[in-house]
Amino acid sequence: MLNVTSSPLSYFILGGYVDVGSLKLSYFSLTTILYIMIIAANTSLIVVICVNRSLHEPMYMFLCSLFVNELYGSTGLFPFLLLQILSDVHTVSAPLCFLQVYCLYTYAVIEFCILAVMSYDRYLAVCCPLQYNAIMTYYKVFLFIISVCLFSFINMLIGLSLTLRLTLCGNTINSLYCSNYLIVKLACSGTKVNNIYGLFNTAVSILVPLLPVLYSYIKILIICFSGSKQARRKAVSTCAPHLASLLSFYFGCLFEILQSRFDMNSVPSTLRIFLSLYFLIIQPLFNPIMYGTQMSKIRKACKHVFCINGFTGYR
């Protein structure tokens, strides 16, 4: 539907949805279960880290902020997705669409930055264990987390304000959720400033955080190859969950960036839909499961907290 007008649009049409007929309730149930699992897994680990004093260390404080971000990103998508699954007409009001853009993009930037900071934390733990406590203080951890959040919120606020000034010639977004780039593509006015800021934003939000990641893991690999067998084992056990989380999120975001900018019609629609949602629906569940099962201190703390609570409730 075209609407060539200077007045702002009141709603958008989401063109990524297809008619699933009698399977609508099944998709709704599966999505609801997934959302409940994400809330339960992340909330449980946040509580475990907060109540267990042995986990009041920099690495676990970063993890806690990561789990909070998973809840934030999931809340920006799942309630909206559930309503759209049940709806026969897939429209969204313009203010709600822009709010979702803001939530999902800030979630992604915060995720990138926290994972980058965590890679630096792992570098210090493996390569500078004696200086670790002196370098990575609680004040610096707090400063890192606050700086990441402020940078993400201000960065996206600028990008969204540039989008809001555009005159749009259409209101159909070919996606399951609101995307800033796809909204900009609907503009009839000049988008040069948006495109330049978009490239700058991508470089700052994705490529810049990648630098400390590459530096940290190159240093860790050098330690692994030159150190003892015990040092290699400790480095692998310390870094494996973080590296798995990092690769998973970068893969999901890379596909979404490619899909929004290039023609991906050759990819089967079901696979395309799943991959477009990967970093929003899989990552929030992947992280708590990965860290909860692979990190021994968190695993032991979970058993301690929930076993005591279960025993108390039984009594």
Side-chain angles (χ1 to χ4, degrees):
M1 180 185 293
L2 290 178
N3 187 14
V4 183
T5 176
S6 59
S7 60
L9 294 173
S10 60
Y11 69 95
F12 290 97
I13 299 171
L14 297 169
Y17 290 90
V18 294
D19 183 18
V20 293
S22 59
L23 294 175
K24 183 183 292 186
L25 287 178
S26 299
Y27 282 115
F28 179 82
S29 301
L30 288 173
T31 306
T32 302
I33 292 170
L34 181 60
Y35 187 36
I36 292 172
M37 289 173 63
I38 288 171
I39 293 174
N42 285 282
T43 303
S44 298
L45 292 187
I46 291 169
V47 171
V48 167
I49 292 172
C50 289
V51 301
N52 197 306
R53 288 186 176 275
S54 67
L55 298 179
H56 292 180
E57 298 176 7
M59 178 174 65
Y60 302 106
M61 293 172 70
F62 287 129
L63 279 177
C64 190
S65 64
L66 191 70
F67 299 144
V68 170
N69 191 49
E70 307 300 358
L71 292 176
Y72 169 65
S74 300
T75 304
L77 174 72
F78 276 90
F80 173 87
L81 196 61
L82 290 169
L83 288 174
Q84 291 298 327
I85 289 173
L86 289 179
S87 177
D88 293 324
V89 181
H90 304 294
T91 61
V92 55
S93 67
L96 184 59
C97 189
F98 287 119
L99 177 62
Q100 185 180 56
V101 167
Y102 186 79
C103 289
L104 297 185
Y105 276 70
T106 50
Y107 156 74
V109 175
I110 290 172
E111 191 90 356
F112 275 123
C113 293
I114 289 179
L115 288 173
V117 172
M118 287 176 65
S119 67
Y120 175 67
D121 176 77
R122 293 301 81 211
Y123 155 72
L124 291 177
V126 173
C127 302
C128 312
L130 298 180
Q131 294 84 28
Y132 178 78
N133 290 328
I135 297 173
M136 192 60 73
T137 62
Y138 290 112
Y139 172 75
K140 286 185 180 177
V141 171
F142 178 77
L143 191 63
F144 274 130
I145 294 172
I146 293 298
S147 299
V148 163
C149 293
L150 285 177
F151 163 74
S152 304
F153 293 143
I154 294 172
N155 183 32
M156 191 54 214
L157 197 60
I158 296 171
L160 198 58
S161 65
L162 292 174
T163 303
L164 288 170
R165 71 182 177 83
L166 297 174
T167 300
L168 304 181
C169 293
N171 63 348
T172 301
I173 303 172
N174 292 317
S175 178
L176 299 176
Y177 55 89
C178 296
S179 166
N180 187 62
Y181 180 76
L182 295 180
I183 294 174
V184 171
K185 285 176 70 175
L186 298 174
C188 2
S189 55
T191 59
K192 184 177 180 180
V193 175
N194 295 75
N195 293 332
I196 292 173
Y197 185 78
L199 291 173
F200 170 77
N201 190 24
T202 301
V204 171
S205 304
I206 299 177
L207 299 181
V208 171
L210 192 60
L211 296 178
V213 172
L214 293 175
Y215 174 81
S216 299
Y217 277 101
I218 288 172
K219 289 289 187 180
I220 290 170
L221 283 174
I222 292 172
I223 291 292
C224 287
F225 284 115
S226 61
S228 63
K229 187 176 180 180
Q230 184 179 359
R232 287 196 296 271
R233 190 183 299 114
K234 183 180 178 182
V236 170
S237 64
T238 303
C239 299
H242 174 260
L243 192 57
S245 174
L246 193 69
L247 292 174
S248 171
F249 192 68
Y250 266 86
F251 164 76
C253 288
L254 178 62
F255 181 85
E256 179 57 18
I257 291 170
L258 292 175
Q259 179 176 245
S260 63
R261 285 159 174 77
F262 300 101
D263 183 13
M264 302 290 285
N265 289 329
S266 58
V267 180
S269 59
T270 304
L271 180 62
R272 194 166 65 245
I273 290 171
F274 171 75
L275 290 175
S276 70
L277 291 170
Y278 180 90
F279 79 104
L280 294 169
I281 64 173
I282 301 300
Q283 190 73 11
L285 188 61
F286 178 80
N287 275 341
I289 291 175
M290 173 62 66
Y291 286 106
T293 57
Q294 296 300 313
M295 301 193 74
S296 58
K297 288 188 72 172
I298 292 181
R299 191 168 62 245
K300 290 176 183 177
C302 286
K303 290 179 181 178
H304 178 72
V305 170
F306 294 117
C307 286
I308 287 180
N309 288 341
F311 179 71
T312 304
Y314 178 76
R315 290 181 61 187

